[in-house]
Amino acid sequence: SYLCPSPSTLVDKPNMVTTASRRCILSFLIILLKLSSACLDAFTISSSVKASHSFITSLSKPSIQSPTRGEIQCAPYLHSPRFSYLTLRAGAVDGNPDNRVNRGRLSVSKIIQGVITWAQKNFFLAGLFVVLSMAKMFPSLGVNGSLLRPELTVGKYGVGLIFLLSGLSLQGSELTKAVANVKLNGLIQTTIFLAWPFLVGSPLKKALNAFQVLPPGLVDGLLILTCLPTTVNMCIMLTSASGGNVAASICNAVISNMAGILVTPALLLHFFGTSIQLPFVQMVRKLCQKVLLPVAIGQALRATKAKEIYESNSKAFKRLQEIILLGIVWNAFCSAFTSGLGLQFHHTLILLTLLPALHLGSLGVLYKFFSIKALGFSRDEIVAAIFCSSQKTLAFGLPLINTIFEGNPNLASFVAPLMFIHPLQMTLGSILIPRIAKYTSGDNKT
């Protein structure tokens, strides 16, 4: 039967093939119809939705005249929610694909406008991002001795201008009150010269030596760092930018650096037991020229029309102070990116983790301490106390360390933590300025 099939078998096989082909074609058509229905459904609406949409459209848009015979009334479809949604998703406006470019330009302009608005409200943060990027891309422009001479334009004249403006903005009664605030000044100086070396530096040295995560030279450098006085420029500028008590900040910066000429060597003598000789007269002269003289000139200018000019343009002068502060950050990071310190990578990584943690932790602890109600300090005094107590000076510390440990083979390791903390405390303090300014003004009650 296989060799000689019957007529019925010959007839059934074509029927079976035809039936299978029809089923495949039918399945394909069903799938195609479903896809077509889904696509058409995106551009059409059901009769119920069409009726309700036509009613809503008639309330908000001009009535559409009935089409003549042979015309297709497609307006309801153009006004359908799904059609409008798809045309907007495609980038068209009012169903016109030619407007995609205009819509793209509108989106870009909105983004640019939003960035400009944010930068105006957060000028210092935006400027900080710019100067750090510039320092990374072009570090040779911002080092001392370069074409722009930042050691003069920023380090000398810029800093002098900031202290002059600080003296111009301060009333004599405010300085007198700041000097007379023995409780605030005493606590700040105690924090700088006692709490830092004995409660932070000495225990930290013991812990790091026990775990042996850093070489002994860098560990000693961290202890030396805790013995230094506060910054002269940075604490005052950060206090001013945050709306803190500038008079208290100037007063404690001067007291700290004057006392540091004697107290810091005594602390180093206690911890390291080396004989120390310092150019006392030279340090006092430098401090008077850098801080006291510009502040005194600013105070003298208050008796002239300069006082009215400053008060009528106080926002512009404050912006100028922020620009100078950004210049100092730029100069510091250009020097850091250019010179380097010759440390191993894992030691650098540990310092870049440890030092910001110490600084931020100290800011938090100092805020909690000076905010104790029993002390009775105002918000602007708390801000001044936080910045004065948490900063460590490079301008005073670097020549001091070079003088004391001259010829020591670990001199570079002694200086390394100070070189790291100098730009870090500027950056972290600058980032916190908007938050602290809200706290000082009373916008943030927490």
Side-chain angles (χ1 to χ4, degrees):
S1 62
Y2 177 78
L3 295 176
C4 300
S6 61
S8 61
T9 305
L10 294 174
V11 174
D12 291 336
K13 275 190 175 182
N15 291 336
M16 292 174 61
V17 175
T18 304
T19 304
S21 301
R22 287 176 178 176
R23 287 178 179 176
C24 291
I25 293 171
L26 183 61
S27 300
F28 177 77
L29 290 175
I30 292 173
I31 294 173
L32 184 61
L33 287 173
K34 288 184 177 181
L35 291 174
S36 301
S37 176
C39 294
L40 290 173
D41 186 57
F43 293 94
T44 58
I45 50 177
S46 62
S47 58
S48 60
V49 176
K50 186 191 301 183
S52 61
H53 181 73
S54 300
F55 174 74
I56 296 173
T57 305
S58 64
L59 295 177
S60 58
K61 293 186 178 294
S63 59
I64 301 175
Q65 294 181 357
S66 300
T68 58
R69 185 175 297 178
E71 292 180 349
I72 301 175
Q73 187 176 358
C74 60
Y77 297 98
L78 294 176
H79 293 285
S80 69
R82 296 182 182 180
F83 183 80
S84 301
Y85 172 76
L86 286 174
T87 54
L88 290 176
R89 285 289 299 272
V93 181
D94 294 333
N96 187 2
D98 294 335
N99 290 328
R100 295 178 183 178
V101 177
N102 295 332
R103 184 174 178 81
R105 291 176 181 174
L106 183 62
S107 300
V108 173
S109 64
K110 285 184 177 180
I111 293 174
I112 295 174
Q113 186 63 35
V115 172
I116 293 174
T117 303
W118 180 87
Q120 290 175 346
K121 293 181 179 179
N122 303 273
F123 174 80
F124 197 88
L125 288 180
L128 189 64
F129 174 77
V130 172
V131 298
L132 291 180
S133 302
M134 292 294 292
K136 181 63 177 178
M137 292 187 292
F138 310 105
S140 60
L141 290 177
V143 296
N144 294 340
S146 65
L147 180 64
L148 299 178
R149 301 297 299 275
E151 71 276 12
L152 293 177
T153 56
V154 176
K156 186 176 181 180
Y157 303 124
V159 171
L161 180 60
I162 285 180
F163 285 115
L164 188 145
L165 293 175
S166 298
L168 183 59
S169 63
L170 290 174
Q171 297 180 5
S173 58
E174 292 180 355
L175 284 173
T176 304
K177 182 180 178 181
V179 174
N181 195 343
V182 178
K183 180 172 63 175
L184 178 64
N185 300 336
L187 287 175
I188 291 176
Q189 302 306 316
T190 301
T191 303
I192 293 172
F193 292 116
L194 292 179
W196 269 107
F198 290 101
L199 299 182
V200 179
S202 183
L204 182 63
K205 178 181 178 179
K206 294 179 181 178
L208 292 176
N209 285 334
F211 291 100
Q212 297 182 351
V213 294
L214 287 174
L218 287 178
V219 177
D220 290 338
L222 290 171
L223 178 59
I224 294 170
L225 176 66
T226 60
C227 298
L228 296 176
T230 188
T231 56
V232 177
N233 308 325
M234 196 55 52
C235 67
I236 298 173
M237 288 184 284
L238 291 175
T239 301
S240 175
S242 302
N245 192 322
V246 180
S249 183
I250 292 177
C251 178
N252 281 278
V254 173
I255 292 174
S256 174
N257 282 265
M258 292 288 287
I261 298 174
L262 296 176
V263 177
T264 298
L267 289 171
L268 296 179
L269 180 64
H270 170 76
F271 288 115
F272 296 95
T274 58
S275 60
I276 298 169
Q277 293 180 355
L278 292 176
F280 179 82
V281 177
Q282 182 180 355
M283 288 186 173
V284 172
R285 184 186 300 116
K286 184 178 180 180
L287 186 62
C288 292
Q289 292 176 351
K290 196 171 185 179
V291 181
L292 297 181
L293 180 60
V295 172
I297 294 174
Q299 284 287 294
L301 289 176
R302 287 184 62 85
T304 65
K305 292 183 179 180
K307 176 183 176 182
E308 298 178 0
I309 296 174
Y310 178 83
E311 291 178 350
S312 59
N313 300 278
S314 58
K315 292 184 178 180
F317 282 111
K318 184 177 181 181
R319 182 59 54 86
L320 177 60
Q321 289 178 316
E322 292 177 345
I323 293 173
I324 296 173
L325 180 58
L326 290 173
I328 295 173
V329 175
W330 170 67
N331 176 233
F333 271 91
C334 284
S335 300
F337 289 142
T338 302
S339 61
L341 296 171
L343 300 178
Q344 297 183 15
F345 176 75
H346 64 283
H347 293 159
T348 303
L349 190 62
I350 292 173
L351 286 177
L352 289 177
T353 304
L354 178 62
L355 291 174
L358 280 176
H359 187 64
L360 291 174
S362 68
L363 289 173
V365 172
L366 291 169
Y367 167 73
K368 289 294 184 181
F369 173 72
F370 285 102
S371 298
I372 296 175
K373 293 184 179 180
L375 296 176
F377 296 137
S378 61
R379 292 192 175 193
D380 59 341
E381 291 175 337
I382 292 172
V383 171
I386 290 172
F387 283 124
C388 289
S389 302
S390 62
Q391 304 277 325
K392 293 298 178 180
T393 176
L394 175 69
F396 179 92
L398 192 57
L400 180 68
I401 296 172
N402 288 332
T403 302
I404 294 174
F405 299 99
E406 184 178 3
N408 194 307
N410 293 322
L411 181 59
S413 297
F414 294 162
V415 174
L418 179 59
M419 295 298 293
F420 274 101
I421 196 62
H422 179 64
L424 285 174
Q425 64 189 4
M426 284 193 299
T427 305
L428 295 174
S430 302
I431 292 173
L432 293 174
I433 281 177
R435 177 74 174 176
I436 298 176
K438 289 183 179 179
Y439 163 79
T440 309
S441 62
D443 293 341
N444 188 2
K445 300 299 182 182
T446 58

